[in-house]
């Protein structure tokens, strides 16, 4: 069928208009309107310019336009589906975010509450700790205990024995103001106790003889600079203690009861050979367990009441001896009258040579002074009996005046010069010092003692006879000076804030006695290691 030009043009126009209307709708959905409008204008121009095309070509164009329209429609649907998917995804994400935010808010709220609770607890704890610390700081001040009573013995069953033996100088406590009554006694500690007793209770001659025998006492496990070396030698020289073998002493080994009591029996036989017997027959419930080598000595002690005994009483021979038990046994032996002696003024005062007396430097806790006479020097010596070991005998002589003391010193030096030429030379051979209102002349060479005594006696002077004591000494004044100088240097280096209150030769114990204001545990241990028994340092409390 043939169509006229007008009909064909109209049909094409309608087809193209329909097609491009669909395309315009599709592109409008995808926001490409400008491009679609331009495509439609071009298509109209093309159609009009080819109005005379054949029917076959028109159908082809119609078919192509329809195909393109379908494709565009599908594209629009695809974009719509994509947009919906994105929208759904955004909604889901928003919901998830809201849920997460809600959870975070709850979690934050819990955390805040927990932190607040913890802060409250910490505040209470801190307040409690602060209160506790304040309470500690505001505790009652340190108790002022009597001399010989320690912080751990004031309520101890052996308090009285410990106090009396400490006041007498036989026992001593530790730097922390404790006695440690329950601590066991070692062999070297026992030797130190025996040495203290021997030096106070033996006569001059007996002590001199013992000192001469010390050179034969030697043990491989007791070094020459060990703090207990001198005590072990004296205990051995007097027969009070022996080594565990010919070459070993085992100084750190704990002593059991049978060993300690047997050694103490040797001490009693040496210083109190006439001790009265109180009980002839002695029995112990566990006597079968006592070593045969110690039985006689233990019986000796029990007979004199120094050790408790009886058919129902156990001796406990292998039980370690504590410091409290040792103090109790010693007090039974030496306690009579010692408590009253402990309060006697027993200050030791070194005697300066004439050369030293002219100008002497004395240090106290705050400054250094230069004094011109011996009296001023002596006044610097601490007068507390707490720091000086008491004499072995009660002193009954009347104190001399300063002038009388100086006169006596001159008379003694006159006799000493017969042997040593000058007072300065004498310092290499001995020590002169005042103690218990008596002038002590201590000599290193025992053989010189008889000569000096004879020279002094030849003066027929009652003051010399009553007030001068000649005794043995391990060290000379020169040697004591060296020990003191080394001690002062060591102390000054290790105790920057401390002061040496006083020092003097403690001849009876063969050591330099030093009283200081303070000393750390490390300093005390260092002095013990460096000087051994040569220095006895006391911290004034």
């Amino acid at each position: 069928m043939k169509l006229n030009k007008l009909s064909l043009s109209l049909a094409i126009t309608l087809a193209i208009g329909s097609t491009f209307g669909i395309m315009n709708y599709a592109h409008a959905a995808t926001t490409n309107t400008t491009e679609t409008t331009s495509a439609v204008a071009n298509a109209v121009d093309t159609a009009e310019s080819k109005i005379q095309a054949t029917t076959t070509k028109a159908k082809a164009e119609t078919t192509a336009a329809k195909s393109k329209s379908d494709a565009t429609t599908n594209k629009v649907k695809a974009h719509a589906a994509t947009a919906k998917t994105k929208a759904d995804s955004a909604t889901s994400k928003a919901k998830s975010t809201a849920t997460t935010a809600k959870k975070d808010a709850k979690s934050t709220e819990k955390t805040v509450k927990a932190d607040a609770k913890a802060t409250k607890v910490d505040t209470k704890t801190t307040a409690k700790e602060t209160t506790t610390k304040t309470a500690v700081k505001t505790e009652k001040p340190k108790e002022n205990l009597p001399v010989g009573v320690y912080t751990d013995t004031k309520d101890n069953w052996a308090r009285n024995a410990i106090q009396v033996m400490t006041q007498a100088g036989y026992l001593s406590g530790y730097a922390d103001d404790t006695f440690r009554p329950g601590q066991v006694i070692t062999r070297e500690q026992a030797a130190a106790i025996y040495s203290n007793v021997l030096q106070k209770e033996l006569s001059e001659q007996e002590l001199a003889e013992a000192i001469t025998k010390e050179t034969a006492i030697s043990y491989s496990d007791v070094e020459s600079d060990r703090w207990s070396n001198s005590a072990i030698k004296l205990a051995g020289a007097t027969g009070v203690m022996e080594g565990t073998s010919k070459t070993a002493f085992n100084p750190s080994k704990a002593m059991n009861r049978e060993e300690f009591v047997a050694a103490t029996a040797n001490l009693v036989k040496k210083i109190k050979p006439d001790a009265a017997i109180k009980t002839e027959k002695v029995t112990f419930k566990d006597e079968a367990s006592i070593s045969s080598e110690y039985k006689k000595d233990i019986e000796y002690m029990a007979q004199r009441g120094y050790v408790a005994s009886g058919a129902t009483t156990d001796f406990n021979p292998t039980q370690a001896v504590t410091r409290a038990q040792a103090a109790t046994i010693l007090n039974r032996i030496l306690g009579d009258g010692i408590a009253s002696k402990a309060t006697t003024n027993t200050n030791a005062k070194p005697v300066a040579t004439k050369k030293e007396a002219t100008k002497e430097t004395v240090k106290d806790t705050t400054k250094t002074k230069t004094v011109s006479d011996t009296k001023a020097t002596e006044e610097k010596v601490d007068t507390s009996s707490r720091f000086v070991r008491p004499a072995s005998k009660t002193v009954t002589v009347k104190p001399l005046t300063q002038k009388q003391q100086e006169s006596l010193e001159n008379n003694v030096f006159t006799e000493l010069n017969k042997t040593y030429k000058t007072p300065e030379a004498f310092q290499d051979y001995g020590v002169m010092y005042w103690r218990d209102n008596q002038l002590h002349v201590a000599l290193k060479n025992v053989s010189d003692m008889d000569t000096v005594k004879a020279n002094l006696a030849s003066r027929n002077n009652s003051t010399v006879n009553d007030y001068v004591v000649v005794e043995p000494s391990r060290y000379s004044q020169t040697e004591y000076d060296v020990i003191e100088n080394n001690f002062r240097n060591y102390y000054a280096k290790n105790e920057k804030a401390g002061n040496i209150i006083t020092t003097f030769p403690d001849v009876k114990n063969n050591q330099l006695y030093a009283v200081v204001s303070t000393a750390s545990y490390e300093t005390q241990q260092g002095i013990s290691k460096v000087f051994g028994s040569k220095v006895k340092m006391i911290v004034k409390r």
Side-chain angles (χ1 to χ4, degrees):
M1 179 178 65
K2 293 183 181 179
L3 299 176
N4 58 36
K5 293 180 179 179
L6 182 56
S7 297
L8 180 59
S9 175
L10 180 59
I12 293 171
T13 299
L14 289 173
I16 293 173
S18 175
T19 301
F20 280 96
I22 294 172
M23 291 178 65
N24 183 54
Y25 171 77
H27 281 279
T30 58
T31 67
N32 293 324
T33 306
T34 303
E35 183 178 350
T36 304
T37 303
S38 178
V40 171
N42 290 337
V44 171
D45 291 340
T46 302
E48 289 178 346
S49 66
K50 295 181 180 180
I51 195 72
Q52 297 180 353
T54 61
T55 300
T56 304
K57 189 173 181 179
K59 288 182 178 180
E61 288 286 329
T62 300
T63 301
K66 185 178 180 181
S67 177
K68 190 171 183 179
S69 175
D70 291 340
T72 302
T73 300
N74 290 336
K75 188 173 182 179
V76 170
K77 290 180 178 180
H79 275 286
T82 300
K84 185 178 180 182
T85 300
K86 289 182 177 180
D88 291 341
S89 176
T91 301
S92 177
K93 187 173 182 180
K95 288 181 178 180
S96 177
T97 301
T99 301
T100 302
K102 190 174 181 180
K103 288 181 178 179
D104 289 343
K106 288 183 178 180
S107 177
T108 301
E109 184 179 3
K110 287 182 178 180
T111 302
V112 171
K113 288 181 178 180
D115 289 343
K117 187 176 181 181
T119 302
K120 189 174 182 180
V121 172
D122 287 343
T123 302
K124 288 182 177 180
T125 302
T126 302
K128 186 175 181 181
E129 290 176 350
T130 303
T131 302
T132 302
K133 289 179 180 179
T134 303
V136 171
K137 289 182 180 180
T138 57
E139 283 181 349
K140 61 181 181 179
K142 184 178 179 181
E143 190 174 357
N144 187 20
L145 298 172
V147 176
V149 178
Y150 303 86
T151 56
D152 57 350
T153 64
K154 59 183 180 179
D155 299 317
N156 189 271
W157 64 271
R159 167 180 167 152
N160 182 64
I162 294 170
Q163 181 178 7
V164 174
M165 291 298 99
T166 298
Q167 289 177 337
Y170 300 132
L171 300 176
S172 60
Y174 291 87
D176 60 356
D177 206 24
T178 63
F179 183 79
R180 304 174 195 176
Q183 183 172 298
V184 299
I185 291 283
T186 63
R187 286 176 54 78
E188 65 182 341
Q189 289 172 343
I193 294 171
Y194 298 144
S195 176
N196 290 339
V197 175
L198 289 166
Q199 292 184 71
K200 289 173 175 57
E201 300 300 327
L202 292 181
S203 67
E204 296 174 8
Q205 188 61 38
E206 288 172 328
L207 190 58
E209 291 174 357
I211 291 175
T212 60
K213 295 178 181 178
E214 287 185 3
T215 54
I217 307 297
S218 178
Y219 298 104
S220 60
D221 55 356
V222 180
E223 301 82 1
S224 59
D225 59 350
R226 191 181 184 94
W227 72 270
S228 58
N229 179 51
S230 296
I232 291 172
K233 283 181 175 293
L234 182 57
T238 53
V240 173
M241 282 189 79
E242 297 179 344
T244 53
S245 70
K246 290 183 178 180
T247 58
F249 187 81
N250 282 328
S252 300
K253 180 185 177 184
M255 290 191 81
N256 60 35
R257 282 176 56 81
E258 63 179 6
E259 292 170 340
F260 182 79
V261 171
T264 306
N266 293 333
L267 177 70
V268 173
K269 294 171 186 176
K270 195 74 178 177
I271 64 173
K272 295 181 70 173
D274 56 350
I277 295 176
K278 297 180 179 181
T279 304
E280 283 287 350
K281 185 168 178 60
V282 174
T283 59
F284 294 101
K285 183 180 178 181
D286 59 350
E287 61 182 24
S289 61
I290 299 175
S291 301
S292 58
E293 61 182 306
Y294 300 124
K295 274 188 176 181
K296 286 186 177 181
D297 288 326
I298 293 171
E299 182 180 295
Y300 176 92
M301 293 288 284
Q303 286 176 331
R304 287 155 181 77
Y306 302 142
V307 175
S309 63
T312 60
T313 301
D314 283 319
F315 179 74
N316 298 313
T318 59
Q319 184 182 82
V321 177
T322 66
R323 286 169 60 79
Q325 292 171 341
T328 300
I329 294 174
L330 285 174
N331 189 49
R332 290 170 184 166
I333 300 168
L334 304 162
D336 295 341
I338 287 184
S340 61
K341 293 179 186 178
T343 58
T344 304
N345 184 0
T346 57
N347 299 299
K349 300 185 291 186
V351 175
T353 63
K354 293 179 180 179
K355 181 180 180 180
E356 292 172 322
T358 57
K359 187 176 183 181
E360 196 164 336
T361 301
V362 180
K363 294 184 178 180
D364 61 15
T365 56
T366 57
K367 55 188 176 180
T368 301
K369 291 182 178 180
T370 301
V371 295
S372 59
D373 55 40
T374 309
K375 180 178 179 180
T377 301
E378 292 170 350
E379 288 175 350
K380 288 297 178 181
V381 179
D382 192 283
T383 59
S384 171
S385 62
R386 176 177 182 175
F387 305 117
V388 184
R389 299 183 185 278
S392 58
K393 299 177 182 179
T394 302
V395 178
T396 58
V397 294
K398 181 181 178 180
L400 299 176
T401 64
Q402 181 63 33
K403 187 174 182 179
Q404 289 174 323
Q405 287 186 358
E406 292 176 354
S407 175
L408 181 59
E409 289 174 14
N410 289 332
N411 289 335
V412 171
F413 270 123
T414 298
E415 300 305 324
L416 290 176
N417 289 345
K418 293 177 181 179
T419 303
Y420 304 108
K421 306 304 180 185
T422 66
E424 290 77 17
F426 166 73
Q427 292 187 78
D428 293 332
Y429 298 93
V431 183
M432 187 184 294
Y433 65 99
W434 282 94
R435 183 169 185 163
D436 304 322
N437 301 315
Q438 290 181 302
L439 182 61
H440 291 247
V441 179
L443 305 174
K444 284 189 65 177
N445 193 337
V446 177
S447 62
D448 288 347
M449 291 177 62
D450 292 335
T451 301
V452 171
K453 284 181 178 180
N455 290 338
L456 291 171
S458 66
R459 297 185 71 86
N460 293 320
N461 184 307
S462 60
T463 302
V464 171
N465 295 337
D466 294 339
Y467 286 88
V468 178
V469 177
V470 181
E471 61 190 9
S473 175
R474 179 170 296 168
Y475 304 112
S476 66
Q477 183 63 58
T478 301
E479 290 170 320
Y480 273 118
D481 289 344
V482 172
I483 295 172
E484 180 180 354
N485 184 60
N486 292 336
F487 168 75
R488 287 185 176 277
N489 290 337
Y490 186 93
Y491 182 84
K493 181 180 179 181
N494 291 277
E495 291 291 334
K496 304 295 184 183
N499 294 290
I500 298 175
I501 299 171
T502 187
T503 61
F504 57 85
D506 183 4
V507 177
K508 279 188 172 294
N509 294 299
N510 296 305
Q511 57 191 187
L512 178 74
Y513 208 89
V515 182
V516 299
S517 62
T518 183
S520 66
Y521 175 77
E522 291 75 15
T523 297
Q524 294 181 54
Q525 291 296 308
I527 287 175
S528 178
K529 183 177 181 180
V530 172
F531 297 97
S533 62
K534 293 180 180 179
V535 174
K536 174 69 173 181
M537 183 178 71
I538 296 295
V539 179
K540 184 176 182 180
R541 300 185 184 284

